[in-house]
Amino acid sequence: MVAAPVNLERQTAPDLRRSSADLAKELRKLATERNAVILAHNYQVPELQDVADFVGDSLGLSYQAAKTGADVILFCGVHFMAETAKIINPSKRVLLPDLEAGCSLSDSCPPEKLAEFLKQHADKNYYVIAYINCSAGVKAQSDIICTSGNADKMVKSAPPDRNILFVPDQNLGAWVMERTGRKMDLWQGNCYVHVEFTARSISRIREEYPNAPVVAHPECTYAVRMLADEVCSTEKMVAFCKNSSAKEIIVVTEAGILHRLKKEIPDKMFIPGPTENCFCGECRYMKKNTLEKAYDALLNMEPEIMLSEEVRARAEVPILRMLELSR
Ligand code: 13P
Ligand code: SF4
């Protein structure tokens, strides 16, 4: 008997493209059918934040990924975030709407370069602390992972007699050094979005809104952090804005967070921190994901995050250490 021909073409849902409200409804339906959880980072486009089961920062999303009972994780964020979810959930299928949703910061520390550096400086016997914005290959060479939400605690937990190498963000690393007093050698990487905010651009907006406090992400440069009233992770920014008595707040991070702030705190005004070159403050990688791509990913069960078991198993150890310590 000859088997019926199978249509191997990737499916899309053209009839659903008319309205994003319909598409969001269909995506929720599909998520139930597939027993999938939808996680979205605070920088995702509004439609993805609105359709997600959970919206948060890297730390919150890692906890959600660790505790989910779903079979599938549709991760609306960038590659290293979905990869982290896969590392701690090897038996689950982890989907990323667009595999090109990368990260300039993660790219600034290729695993081979780190391996070479550690070999060249073997005499230092480094304790490696990796900011979560890095690849599985870098995590696999690290002793502990941290996020912007728990970096102080992770650095303080490092053995006092060891030299620390902090990768890949030099700005976040410098910020944690200031706060903990712990000396660390810093990998010279940075986020292309956050370094676009400058002391001049932030001073100008401060003059325009003299009563508005400035809240900035620790990936910003030292000069910008010095002008901020609060420096914290995106999740802590939401809490800061909720708790502040100010009615106007200048927010110095990727612009996607403004949607969540306006939605959860409608009675306040949020002023996006301007950049030096009128650059829009949007991360081109975060914006690769769309509602359509998220729908198609769950419909076709791809693009899927795949990892070699050897790297995954080694990368899992420092992530679990972080999750355990940061509780
Ligand atoms: P948060 O963990 O603070 O959300 O930061 C993630 C990120 O990519 C910042 O650019
Ligand atoms: Fe990476 Fe910067 Fe985009 Fe965050 S905002 S994902 S650090 S490039």
Side-chain angles (χ1 to χ4, degrees), residues 164-167 169-171 173-174 177 184-189:
I164 301 178
L165 175 65
F166 188 92
V167 300
D169 190 359
Q170 57 186 311
N171 290 310
M177 277 213 286
M184 306 192 287
D185 290 336
L186 307 177
W187 191 268
Q188 297 299 295

Side-chain angles (χ1 to χ4, degrees), residues 126-146:
Y126 275 123
Y127 184 82
V128 180
I129 304 183
Y131 182 37
I132 198 163
N133 297 36
C134 65
S135 64
V138 167
K139 289 186 174 82
Q141 298 176 63
S142 305
D143 291 285
I144 197 161
I145 306 303
C146 74

Side-chain angles (χ1 to χ4, degrees), residues 41 43 78 80-81 102-106 131 133 169 190-194 217 219 253-254 282-286:
H41 187 263
Y43 296 162
V78 289
F80 74 81
M81 296 177 175
C103 169
S104 71
L105 183 50
S106 176
Y131 182 37
N133 297 36
D169 190 359
N190 59 49
C191 160
Y192 91 99
V193 179
H194 287 88
H217 197 274
E219 287 172 17
T253 194
E254 208 273 350
E282 283 195 346
C283 170
R284 64 172 175 267
Y285 302 106
M286 285 279 178

Side-chain angles (χ1 to χ4, degrees), residues 72-307:
V72 180
I73 300 173
L74 175 61
F75 210 115
C76 303
V78 289
H79 193 274
F80 74 81
M81 296 177 175
E83 202 173 53
T84 303
K86 180 67 182 178
I87 293 167
I88 53 179
N89 285 292
S91 63
K92 296 189 196 298
R93 298 187 70 175
V94 179
L95 309 171
L96 181 64
D98 190 326
L99 273 188
E100 287 186 9
C103 169
S104 71
L105 183 50
S106 176
D107 291 347
S108 67
C109 185
E112 323 74 65
K113 275 209 176 159
L114 175 60
E116 187 54 36
F117 182 89
L118 291 174
K119 205 163 115 193
Q120 275 174 11
H121 299 87
D123 55 313
K124 291 253 197 176
N125 186 27
Y126 275 123
Y127 184 82
V128 180
I129 304 183
Y131 182 37
I132 198 163
N133 297 36
C134 65
S135 64
V138 167
K139 289 186 174 82
Q141 298 176 63
S142 305
D143 291 285
I144 197 161
I145 306 303
C146 74
T147 73
S148 54
N150 65 15
D152 288 10
K153 208 170 177 183
M154 297 305 110
V155 168
K156 281 183 193 155
S157 78
D161 55 338
R162 295 278 301 273
N163 295 308
I164 301 178
L165 175 65
F166 188 92
V167 300
D169 190 359
Q170 57 186 311
N171 290 310
L172 190 128
W175 174 68
V176 189
M177 277 213 286
E178 286 155 28
R179 289 162 65 92
T180 60
R182 187 81 199 255
K183 188 181 163 332
M184 306 192 287
D185 290 336
L186 307 177
W187 191 268
Q188 297 299 295
N190 59 49
C191 160
Y192 91 99
V193 179
H194 287 88
V195 298
E196 286 283 336
F197 301 110
T198 65
R200 200 161 56 168
S201 69
I202 302 307
S203 300
R204 253 191 256 133
I205 197 84
R206 275 212 95 135
E207 273 170 35
E208 223 178 294
Y209 297 92
N211 298 321
V214 172
V215 59
H217 197 274
E219 287 172 17
C220 293
T221 62
Y222 174 78
V224 169
R225 291 200 315 273
M226 286 302 105
L227 293 171
D229 297 279
E230 181 67 12
V231 178
C232 57
S233 73
T234 58
E235 196 59 38
K236 289 183 184 167
M237 279 184 184
V238 177
F240 173 85
C241 292
K242 278 184 183 161
N243 297 333
S244 170
S245 55
K247 285 285 167 212
E248 297 175 338
I249 301 170
I250 299 167
V251 181
V252 187
T253 194
E254 208 273 350
I257 198 170
L258 297 168
H259 174 69
R260 184 163 164 211
L261 290 172
K262 286 180 201 157
K263 195 168 151 181
E264 293 187 19
I265 320 167
D267 57 324
K268 292 185 184 169
M269 182 170 126
F270 300 102
I271 303 129
T275 59
E276 191 63 26
N277 305 310
C278 298
F279 169 89
C280 65
E282 283 195 346
C283 170
R284 64 172 175 267
Y285 302 106
M286 285 279 178
K287 272 31 184 191
K288 286 262 174 203
N289 295 327
T290 61
L291 187 59
E292 285 79 9
K293 288 183 195 171
Y295 181 87
D296 289 348
L298 202 51
L299 185 67
N300 295 294
M301 295 300 285
E302 54 135 19
E304 183 172 1
I305 302 291
M306 298 293 201
L307 277 171

